[in-house]
Amino acid sequence: MFFYRSVLFLSLLFTARSLNQDGLFLQRVKLGLSDPAHSLSSWNERDDTPCNWYGITCDNSTHRVSSVDLSSSELMGPFPNFLCRLPFLTSINLMNNSINSSLTDDIATCKNLESLDLSANLLVGSIPASLSELSNLKLLNLASNNFSGAIPAKFGQFQKLEWISLAGNLLTGSIQSELGNISTLQHLLVGYNLYAPSRIPSQFGNLSNLVELWLANCNLVGPIPESLSKLTRLSNLDFSLNRLTGSIPSWLTGLKNIEQIELYQNFLSGELPLGFSNLTMLRRFDASTNHLTGTIPIQLAQLELESLNLFENRLVGTLPEGIAKSPNLYELKLFNNELTGELPSQLGLNSPLKWLDVSYNGFSGNIPGSLCAKGELEDLILIYNSFSGEIPESLGKCDSLGRVRLRNNRFTGIVPEQFWGLPQVYLFELEENSFSGKVSSRIASAYILSVLKISKNQFSGSLPMEIGYLGKLIEFSASDNMFTGPIPGSLVNLSTLSMLVLEDNELSGGLPHGIQGWKSLNELNLANNKLSGQIPDEIGSLQALNYLDLSGNYFSGKIPTQLEDLNLNQLNLSNNMLSGAIPPFYAKEMYRSSFMGNPGLCGDLKDLCPQEGDSRKQSYLWILRSTFILAAMVFVVGVVWFYFKYQNFKKEKEVITISKWRSFHKIGFSEFEILDFLKEDNVIGSGASGKVYKAVLSNGETVAVKKLSGESRKDNTNHSSEKDEFEAEVETLGRIRHKNIVRLWCCCNTADCKLLAPAAILHQVFHLCPYELLIRNPEFGEKDLVKWVCATLDQNGMDHVVDPKLDSRYRDEISKILEIGLRCTTAFPIGRPSMRLVVKMLQEAGGMGHKPEADKNDEKPSPCYNEEVSDQGSLV
Ligand SMILES: *[C@@H]1O[C@H](CO)[C@@H](O)[C@H](O)[C@H]1NC(C)=O
Ligand SMILES: *[C@@H]1O[C@H](CO)[C@@H](O)[C@H](O)[C@H]1NC(C)=O
Ligand SMILES: *[C@@H]1O[C@H](CO)[C@@H](O)[C@H](O)[C@H]1NC(C)=O
Ligand SMILES: *[C@@H]1O[C@H](CO)[C@@H](O)[C@H](O)[C@H]1NC(C)=O
Ligand SMILES: *[C@@H]1O[C@H](CO)[C@@H](O)[C@H](O)[C@H]1NC(C)=O
Ligand SMILES: *[C@@H]1O[C@H](CO)[C@@H](O)[C@H](O)[C@H]1NC(C)=O
Ligand SMILES: *[C@@H]1O[C@H](CO)[C@@H](O)[C@H](O)[C@H]1NC(C)=O
Ligand SMILES: *[C@@H]1O[C@H](CO)[C@@H](O)[C@H](O)[C@H]1NC(C)=O
Ligand SMILES: *[C@@H]1O[C@H](CO)[C@@H](O)[C@H](O)[C@H]1NC(C)=O
């Protein structure tokens, strides 16, 4: 027994002794790290050398460690300074771990280091200036950490550095002009930091070996310096997301090796330079969201571009034909300019065109039949132009199409059969054109369709029952057409349907059986058709319903009392043949216009129905008489009111008088009712601009009232600009009918205060969400905003979503608010936070320091809801 033990002991001692010095240092490295994924399990003390360990490379002849690559190994803990004890180490790669310390000057003892990659970790503190003492260093990657402070000026002393990335940190100060001293530099990537406003250092023009210059989101101001014209080896130039002014310099067209130019989201003005013809390598050009004027140069369109983005400028003229010859063009986004003329007739014939968006221009002519010749077209977005003619038959074979948006053009004719049934289409928008003919039953094959909008056309025939097979349909609007026949019974199977708008057609028959299947239905508008039969009691089970308009039909029978189970924002049963009593909850004066024009309807609302026994003549007389009396009363009251008002005005009494009251939607309460609720007890939130009160009105509705604090100022100029702002906001909010935005019901403007009364719509769930306020508008679609945000967030990170006008120092707050916004727009109301929680979250977001995100492509899981219901963000 004893013998056995000692043998074991001896053998352990023996193996431990055999590990060489490099191995022993690496064991110390291992001890300092936490390794939950057991990435370092092969780092075995019993080996002679570490040369076969995971991540270790040795020199073939000396067997000394030359490289340590522990990237993406889920390691945690401080930076392992013991690595620098390895005398022949030339490369350290700890990319994508959780190294969470700061870097110390000890790093300078890694003196043979040629490559140091610590990107995507949790490193904090300042960047040690001593790094520049590593005279052999060629690559330094510290991107995507939380380094703060300024870039060390000593970095100008690097001897051999070719590649430096400090992108995506919390660096402040300005971009060091000393970096322009590193003549060996080929890649300079320092974007996405928190620098103070500064100009592009003209010294960068000295970096004659530079291939890549990435200064996106660096708070750059002023013009692009002339000295950069010397960077003739440049292949990738990215100045996007800054505040650069001046014009796009003409010397840019002399950078003959350039492949990619990103200038989007700046304040560049003037015309695009002409001489692009020498840039034969240019593949991507993006100068969108600037103030560019003039035309698209013919030379630019003659290059072999893969991607051309010039959206959101003020460009005029036509799209040069030459663009159609570019063999690899897959992305063409020109929306929101003032472009005219026709699209090149061969567009798409020679290239794998994938994303075409020329919305909001003055384009005319036909859709080129070749757009999908290579079978790659996913986005066909032509909204708000003057395109005409028919949809080419060839597009019916374009199975790759995902978004078809042709709204507001002058298209005519019959939509090709196959075009209705494209298998990948999820957004299909033909609104506001002059299309005719039927909706084809082939629509059944568009089985992932979630938004189908064909309103305001001249479609006719009956709606195919196949629409009811589209199990992912969320929104179907076909109003203002000439549809006849019944509402297909199959529609009740659409449990995700949120919006069904079929008003102003000639539909007949009754509501289909089984409408309780519309579990998500939010808006049902069947007004002005020829529908008949009873309104089924099941209507009361549509828990999500808040907009119900069945006016202008032939519905008969009793109004189901179950309507009282709903929280309706809008109800209209006017102009039908309904009879019997009005459900007690609705039998109130303010709902009068919801029930008018139903001859058989009676109830507590006595004068709504004709008085029994009265002859027609008598009732007319009665109406005439009462109108006269009413008018007289109004006159007298008016005169008296005016008198008192005038007296008050003269005395300048300190009472709240409503000088201006405007309602934007039909409301069932008066301003005076609201005033009663402006007490401390009812405060549910407050902000810089005033307090928000909860008001429960006599009609049972709950609204939020915002009282904007504005001292009555005597200073006239000040007052008028403030007033303008208020007026402007009110105008906008009042006009918007977007369900993601709190609906502004009304406002009043008094000498002492300003009140806004947005609707609060469902129970205590209060949808005061910051939504749209943050977002930059990519292509002006109103309905798929949430989807767009989610998709862009996932693919490109927050900066592609957030309005660039927002101060990037508040990135973190913005990100939090964005998150809150997304939670508020979860498809189903039940998943959304209550107002109380929203307020809490907003307060928390507001209380944070001004720190940005760690990385542009931050991979934080977004709270976006799942794909099945994601195509529509407009559910309330
Ligand atoms: C070292 O040896 C390995 C395997 O024998 C070989 O693949 C590698 O190319 C060698 N490296 C050098 C630098 O000689
Ligand atoms: C980062 O590491 C994790 C864990 O090993 C891995 O799943 C992920 O793909 C890595 N990410 C990148 C960008 O390499
Ligand atoms: C770094 O990570 C380790 C392991 O997760 C943890 O124990 C330590 O507290 C962290 N240190 C800091 C400064 O966050
Ligand atoms: C510029 O580079 C030279 C040579 O590499 C070096 O001697 C000098 O100190 C550097 N200047 C700055 C300001 O970094
Ligand atoms: C670097 O550029 C600046 C300004 O463009 C210039 O004044 C300076 O002489 C240049 N330095 C070197 C070493 O070329
Ligand atoms: C294109 O390059 C040629 C030859 O280098 C040169 O002569 C010409 O001026 C260049 N054109 C433009 C528009 O820069
Ligand atoms: C609804 O769907 C079920 C199951 O797919 C089907 O059996 C039924 O016929 C459908 N109802 C209508 C009215 O189409
Ligand atoms: C209901 O519709 C009629 C027209 O059919 C309209 O006059 C009335 O104002 C509407 N009522 C409401 C509450 O929208
Ligand atoms: C890095 O900075 C971000 C943004 O300020 C912050 O949310 C995060 O907690 C920081 N991480 C570390 C490890 O300091």
Side-chain angles (χ1 to χ4, degrees):
M1 182 69 169
F2 174 74
F3 172 75
Y4 185 74
R5 260 198 205 164
S6 54
V7 168
L8 193 69
F9 174 74
L10 279 173
S11 85
L12 271 176
L13 199 66
F14 178 74
T15 55
R17 277 220 173 122
S18 74
L19 184 57
N20 70 8
Q21 188 60 49
D22 282 1
L24 290 173
F25 284 134
L26 286 171
Q27 283 300 327
R28 299 291 291 270
V29 168
K30 181 178 177 179
L31 272 178
L33 293 170
S34 125
D35 177 20
H38 304 291
S39 303
L40 306 182
S41 59
S42 67
W43 287 27
N44 192 327
E45 298 178 52
R46 277 161 298 179
D47 295 334
D48 300 344
T49 73
C51 295
N52 290 323
W53 293 357
Y54 166 78
I56 304 299
T57 309
C58 290
D59 183 280
N60 276 358
S61 48
T62 64
H63 302 286
R64 302 301 296 267
V65 175
S66 60
S67 149
V68 175
D69 180 355
L70 299 175
S71 55
S72 300
S73 300
E74 298 179 47
L75 298 170
M76 297 191 268
F79 176 79
N81 279 316
F82 265 101
L83 285 176
C84 292
R85 304 278 187 100
L86 301 168
F88 298 96
L89 189 66
T90 58
S91 168
I92 297 176
N93 187 351
L94 292 173
M95 187 264 270
N96 187 24
N97 283 287
S98 299
I99 306 298
N100 63 356
S101 62
S102 51
L103 281 187
T104 65
D105 283 333
D106 289 349
I107 195 83
T109 61
C110 269
K111 49 181 184 311
N112 289 317
L113 217 52
E114 292 171 17
S115 168
L116 177 63
D117 189 344
L118 302 177
S119 59
N121 276 287
L122 305 172
L123 288 159
V124 295
S126 55
I127 297 176
S130 57
L131 277 169
S132 61
E133 291 161 23
L134 299 174
S135 56
N136 289 317
L137 202 63
K138 289 186 183 146
L139 179 147
L140 176 62
N141 191 351
L142 303 179
S144 303
N145 280 286
N146 275 14
F147 284 113
S148 53
I151 300 174
K154 264 180 87 182
F155 269 23
Q157 294 171 9
F158 276 113
Q159 303 290 304
K160 297 185 181 163
L161 200 66
E162 293 171 5
W163 208 104
I164 185 172
S165 176
L166 308 176
N169 278 288
L170 312 176
L171 298 174
T172 49
S174 56
I175 296 178
Q176 294 292 354
S177 55
E178 281 83 355
L179 294 173
N181 194 23
I182 314 173
S183 56
T184 48
L185 212 53
Q186 294 172 16
H187 301 265
L188 176 54
L189 303 92
V190 292
Y192 286 86
N193 276 291
L194 306 178
Y195 309 118
S198 58
R199 291 173 172 243
I200 299 174
S202 62
Q203 288 85 347
F204 285 6
N206 294 347
L207 298 169
S208 54
N209 288 306
L210 211 59
V211 172
E212 186 176 17
L213 181 56
W214 200 59
L215 302 180
N217 206 344
C218 285
N219 209 358
L220 295 171
V221 295
I224 300 173
E226 171 88 41
S227 65
L228 300 191
S229 62
K230 294 186 282 177
L231 303 179
T232 49
R233 296 197 179 168
L234 213 55
S235 119
N236 186 357
L237 178 152
D238 191 337
F239 294 159
S240 60
L241 299 157
N242 283 294
R243 293 188 278 147
L244 296 172
T245 49
S247 56
I248 296 181
S250 58
W251 52 256
L252 205 67
T253 61
L255 303 178
K256 53 183 188 304
N257 289 305
I258 201 99
E259 290 174 27
Q260 169 162 324
I261 299 175
E262 305 285 349
L263 299 172
Y264 61 89
Q265 286 199 40
N266 278 288
F267 299 116
L268 298 168
S269 54
E271 305 197 359
L272 286 160
L274 292 177
F276 278 97
S277 44
N278 280 354
L279 301 188
T280 51
M281 309 290 281
L282 192 64
R283 298 293 174 266
R284 304 173 57 84
F285 185 76
D286 191 339
S288 52
T289 320
N290 277 290
H291 303 309
L292 301 175
T293 51
T295 58
I296 301 176
I298 291 175
Q299 295 93 333
L300 182 63
Q302 280 163 348
L303 302 173
E304 298 191 359
L305 288 176
E306 292 169 9
S307 164
L308 179 62
N309 288 331
L310 294 172
F311 57 86
E312 291 181 334
N313 279 292
R314 295 174 201 149
L315 299 171
V316 296
T318 59
L319 174 61
E321 281 279 336
I323 197 83
K325 298 215 174 69
S326 190
N328 296 310
L329 189 76
Y330 67 89
E331 179 173 35
L332 183 60
K333 291 187 181 162
L334 305 173
F335 58 86
N336 213 21
N337 277 290
E338 290 153 33
L339 299 166
T340 50
E342 304 196 1
L343 292 180
S345 57
Q346 304 205 321
L347 194 61
L349 189 63
N350 305 303
S351 68
L353 195 62
K354 199 170 184 176
W355 301 311
L356 176 68
D357 189 342
V358 299
S359 307
Y360 291 88
N361 277 291
F363 283 114
S364 55
N366 294 347
I367 301 182
S370 54
L371 283 186
C372 194
K374 299 278 187 196
E376 301 277 341
L377 194 64
E378 287 177 13
D379 282 0
L380 175 61
I381 308 186
L382 310 178
I383 59 177
Y384 290 90
N385 277 288
S386 301
F387 287 109
S388 57
E390 303 192 1
I391 295 176
E393 202 73 37
S394 60
L395 285 183
K397 300 187 188 78
C398 190
D399 285 355
S400 52
L401 272 171
R403 294 199 292 174
V404 173
R405 308 188 62 194
L406 306 182
R407 178 183 190 153
N408 205 303
N409 278 286
R410 296 181 192 157
F411 290 114
T412 51
I414 292 172
V415 176
E417 281 270 303
Q418 283 182 301
F419 196 67
W420 289 105
L422 294 169
Q424 307 284 340
V425 166
Y426 56 92
L427 175 57
F428 194 77
E429 209 178 319
L430 306 183
E431 276 166 307
E432 297 173 62
N433 280 290
S434 300
F435 288 116
S436 54
K438 290 180 165 192
V439 177
S440 165
S441 59
R442 283 204 182 230
I443 200 161
S445 350
Y447 63 99
I448 62 166
L449 194 62
S450 67
V451 177
L452 174 59
K453 294 172 153 195
I454 55 173
S455 297
K456 298 191 179 160
N457 278 288
Q458 283 143 39
F459 288 116
S460 56
S462 54
L463 292 168
M465 66 169 178
E466 284 79 2
I467 293 178
Y469 302 169
L470 304 174
K472 307 223 163 158
L473 203 62
I474 290 176
E475 198 173 322
F476 176 34
S477 59
S479 56
D480 283 289
N481 279 291
M482 299 181 294
F483 287 113
T484 52
I487 297 172
S490 58
L491 286 194
V492 300
N493 267 356
L494 298 175
S495 60
T496 57
L497 194 68
S498 135
M499 198 167 164
L500 181 59
V501 180
L502 302 175
E503 68 179 312
D504 290 300
N505 279 289
E506 286 161 38
L507 298 169
S508 54
L511 280 174
H513 291 293
I515 60 168
Q516 62 273 26
W518 284 333
K519 294 200 164 39
S520 313
L521 198 66
N522 183 238
E523 174 168 346
L524 179 62
N525 186 347
L526 305 175
N528 302 323
N529 278 286
K530 294 176 178 166
L531 298 166
S532 56
Q534 300 217 354
I535 301 173
D537 292 350
E538 288 79 20
I539 197 115
S541 68
L542 306 186
Q543 282 308 309
L545 198 67
N546 75 52
Y547 188 114
L548 177 63
D549 192 341
L550 303 178
S551 64
N553 280 289
Y554 301 120
F555 286 111
S556 56
K558 285 171 57 171
I559 298 175
T561 52
Q562 284 85 348
L563 270 188
E564 296 194 351
D565 299 343
L566 301 174
N567 282 289
L568 293 175
N569 203 13
Q570 164 78 353
L571 171 65
N572 203 342
L573 303 179
S574 295
N575 303 325
N576 277 288
M577 301 169 75
L578 296 164
S579 56
I582 293 174
F585 179 82
Y586 294 104
K588 293 178 189 140
E589 189 51 37
M590 66 194 191
Y591 286 113
R592 170 181 295 278
S593 76
S594 299
F595 299 101
M596 304 176 308
N598 285 285
L601 207 57
C602 266
D604 298 342
L605 216 55
K606 287 283 185 309
D607 52 337
L608 198 67
C609 39
Q611 301 292 307
E612 274 167 58
D614 274 358
S615 81
R616 228 174 219 198
K617 222 185 211 166
Q618 267 177 326
S619 73
Y620 276 137
L621 266 177
W622 186 83
I623 289 170
L624 213 63
R625 213 166 51 209
S626 36
T627 309
F628 181 76
I629 292 171
L630 199 73
M633 270 168 64
V634 166
F635 180 73
V636 171
V637 169
V639 168
V640 171
W641 178 81
F642 181 79
Y643 177 75
F644 279 106
K645 176 93 186 154
Y646 184 64
Q647 293 292 311
N648 278 349
F649 179 70
K650 281 212 294 196
K651 281 189 252 165
E652 286 223 15
K653 265 186 77 179
E654 290 273 298
V655 294
I656 293 183
T657 50
I658 310 278
S659 63
K660 198 165 178 193
W661 174 260
R662 295 165 59 191
S663 65
F664 297 94
H665 302 274
K666 198 126 189 77
I667 52 170
F669 54 87
S670 82
E671 56 273 37
F672 300 102
E673 201 176 330
I674 278 185
L675 292 181
D676 292 342
F677 287 93
L678 306 184
K679 303 184 258 205
E680 282 305 300
D681 289 356
N682 298 324
V683 173
I684 50 173
S686 63
S689 60
K691 288 181 176 165
V692 181
Y693 302 82
K694 176 178 172 175
V696 185
L697 304 165
S698 58
N699 64 11
E701 217 136 22
T702 307
V703 300
V705 182
K706 184 166 185 182
K707 181 173 167 184
L708 301 174
S709 50
E711 293 96 71
S712 20
R713 297 186 200 169
K714 304 283 173 243
D715 178 352
N716 248 340
T717 49
N718 235 346
H719 187 243
S720 83
S721 81
E722 177 203 306
K723 192 180 148 199
D724 286 351
E725 222 169 272
F726 178 76
E727 291 281 301
E729 181 166 344
V730 161
E731 265 308 313
T732 317
L733 280 173
R735 255 185 291 123
I736 291 176
R737 236 201 105 240
H738 191 296
K739 287 183 186 154
N740 298 350
I741 300 181
V742 176
R743 186 168 338 166
L744 180 64
W745 277 46
C746 51
C747 78
C748 81
N749 192 352
T750 78
D752 306 283
C753 77
K754 287 163 179 171
L755 302 173
L756 296 172
I761 291 156
L762 299 173
H763 307 283
Q764 326 94 316
V765 189
F766 216 109
H767 299 274
L768 187 71
C769 277
Y771 201 57
E772 278 80 358
L773 303 181
L774 295 178
I775 306 291
R776 80 166 168 146
N777 198 341
E779 51 183 64
F780 310 96
E782 1 155 13
K783 285 303 182 192
D784 59 343
L785 187 61
V786 172
K787 167 146 183 128
W788 175 79
V789 169
C790 289
T792 312
L793 212 55
D794 283 350
Q795 278 169 26
N796 302 316
M798 189 176 122
D799 293 292
H800 291 251
V801 175
V802 170
D803 192 322
K805 289 182 206 99
L806 295 175
D807 191 328
S808 60
R809 278 175 303 165
Y810 299 98
R811 260 182 80 81
D812 225 36
E813 286 86 340
I814 293 168
S815 138
K816 279 278 186 296
I817 291 170
L818 187 63
E819 215 169 291
I820 297 168
L822 287 168
R823 283 187 63 179
C824 292
T825 49
T826 308
F828 293 105
I830 202 112
R832 295 179 200 153
S834 68
M835 186 56 189
R836 194 178 289 275
L837 188 57
V838 170
V839 170
K840 190 159 170 282
M841 291 190 295
L842 284 174
Q843 276 167 349
E844 279 167 10
M848 300 185 317
H850 302 160
K851 288 180 176 176
E853 289 297 320
D855 183 22
K856 161 187 183 200
N857 289 324
D858 188 6
E859 282 176 3
K860 222 188 282 173
S862 71
C864 297
Y865 40 86
N866 78 46
E867 187 60 28
E868 289 202 354
V869 289
S870 69
D871 272 311
Q872 209 250 15
S874 63
L875 316 183
V876 170

